[in-house]
Amino acid sequence: MSENINLLVTLDENYLPYLKVMLFSLHQNNLDQHFDLWLFHEKIDSQQLTQLSLLVERLAVTLHAVQISGQLFKNAPTVERYPREMYFRLACGNLLPQNVKRVIYLDPDILVINSVRPLWELDLQGNVFAAAVHAGLTNIAKSINNIRLQTTKSYFNSGVLLIDVERARKIVKLEDIYQTIRKYGDYLLLPDQDVMNHLYSHVTLEIPEEIWNYDTRQSNIYFTRHVDTFNMRWVAQNTVFLHFCGKPKPWSTRNNSRFGFLYLHYQQLLQKFE
């Protein structure tokens, strides 16, 4: 077994059931790998954390639950699907121990279907973040977001991030984030993601979305772009993170996406495992 891989999640108790599915899929497809899971939260109770710790220990995952003060980002805009915890990933340089040099951040609405080690070992080329762009068929949203957020690069999705924590400690400043929130608060559609793009897109390395942040809503678009390449066999062999962006979520009875069945399969396997 090689070195442990650091993972980061930032969420409230509502997403714990889906975090467990994500971690179970991670284990099933990375059987020889041990992980350190850093969970940033504001008020998940100790009983739920104990239950989570007992489960993930069986998945070769060591849980480090870090309770964050409610004062951090207390005035930041939030919406129903995006609680205050979403901002914590941006502050990971301030919140993680000094011995943590690199971390992979993952949203909980993800399935892991291949090895994550190639992302962990990626050369960031001096950047703070690596992230994917959900370009769609025409990438028409790029121009809109460039104007809206005063950026020149593509709009990065923050659901999967490789973060150079050492560089983040030098470059990502809480006061810069607070100033951006104060200045653009009314215009932030996906609040922390918008902040990340506005402040740090210039230190973000683009990685292929088809591998590292596959938007399950856009499977037809991926197939259209490369009819002979991005078929289901290619996805099974190459894609690492299936990201169930938007609504309905795969655990919802209203979900009928191409990959919803796969999610339910892992959910059922987890129930048997527990």
Side-chain angles (χ1 to χ4, degrees):
M1 189 185 304
S2 46
E3 65 169 326
N4 290 6
I5 291 176
N6 289 305
L7 301 177
L8 172 64
V9 294
T10 64
L11 44 79
D12 60 23
E13 67 278 0
N14 295 316
Y15 275 90
L16 283 177
Y18 319 121
L19 171 64
K20 293 175 182 178
V21 177
M22 186 266 281
L23 293 173
F24 183 76
S25 69
L26 173 79
H27 171 70
Q28 292 294 98
N29 295 289
N30 294 265
L31 289 173
D32 296 327
Q33 180 63 57
H34 192 98
F35 297 90
D36 281 289
L37 176 67
W38 299 90
L39 167 59
F40 291 171
H41 70 98
E42 186 177 333
K43 51 186 177 183
I44 299 176
D45 68 58
S46 59
Q47 183 178 355
Q48 291 189 80
L49 291 174
T50 299
Q51 292 173 352
L52 176 63
S53 181
L54 292 173
L55 170 65
V56 301
E57 185 177 357
R58 298 170 61 198
L59 301 176
V61 175
T62 300
L63 176 65
H64 308 274
V66 181
Q67 187 168 15
I68 307 301
S69 168
Q71 295 302 304
L72 189 67
F73 299 113
K74 67 176 182 177
N75 296 320
T78 60
V79 293
E80 180 185 359
R81 287 193 298 135
Y82 304 101
R84 181 162 40 243
E85 284 84 353
M86 65 184 168
Y87 292 99
F88 294 167
R89 69 190 116 176
L90 296 180
C92 69
N94 299 76
L95 301 173
L96 286 168
Q98 288 294 313
N99 65 326
V100 177
K101 312 298 185 184
R102 171 176 283 218
V103 72
I104 296 174
Y105 169 84
L106 295 175
D107 275 353
D109 56 348
I110 280 174
L111 280 183
V112 185
I113 62 172
N114 277 300
S115 171
V116 304
R117 179 153 287 278
L119 180 61
W120 178 250
E121 296 176 346
L122 180 71
D123 180 3
L124 275 165
Q125 302 172 27
N127 290 285
V128 177
F129 304 100
V133 172
H134 288 161
L137 195 57
T138 62
N139 201 16
I140 193 171
K142 177 181 183 296
S143 298
I144 297 172
N145 284 317
N146 288 160
I147 295 171
R148 184 171 66 88
L149 299 172
Q150 300 179 8
T151 61
T152 57
K153 298 188 72 172
S154 296
Y155 184 79
F156 293 100
N157 182 276
S158 60
V160 176
L161 299 170
L162 175 64
I163 306 173
D164 183 332
V165 181
E166 286 188 299
R167 295 266 302 152
R169 292 187 180 108
K170 300 174 183 177
I171 293 175
V172 179
K173 305 298 182 184
L174 287 179
E175 185 52 38
D176 293 339
I177 297 172
Y178 291 149
Q179 286 183 5
T180 299
I181 291 171
R182 287 193 293 266
K183 185 175 181 179
Y184 297 101
D186 293 339
Y187 303 97
L188 301 177
L189 303 179
L190 300 171
D192 76 305
Q193 187 168 278
D194 282 354
V195 170
M196 188 193 87
N197 276 273
H198 174 71
L199 289 174
Y200 307 117
S201 62
H202 68 290
V203 287
T204 301
L205 176 70
E206 184 173 347
I207 53 179
E209 61 174 314
E210 298 88 355
I211 297 175
W212 298 114
N213 196 335
Y214 188 107
D215 185 345
T216 58
R217 300 170 300 179
Q218 298 195 46
S219 58
N220 288 335
I221 292 176
Y222 295 133
F223 298 155
T224 300
R225 280 193 210 148
H226 302 278
V227 176
D228 298 326
T229 304
F230 298 140
N231 53 37
M232 293 297 284
R233 182 180 296 276
W234 187 95
V235 171
Q237 294 174 344
N238 296 278
T239 295
V240 178
F241 300 122
L242 291 174
H243 192 181
F244 293 86
C245 305
K247 288 186 175 182
K249 292 300 186 187
W251 51 83
S252 167
T253 56
R254 295 183 293 111
N255 184 280
N256 61 355
S257 75
R258 178 178 274 113
F259 297 98
F261 177 82
L262 182 61
Y263 188 93
L264 296 176
H265 175 65
Y266 276 101
Q267 191 175 49
Q268 180 175 304
L269 288 176
L270 172 62
Q271 290 169 356
K272 294 177 179 178
F273 181 82
E274 290 182 300

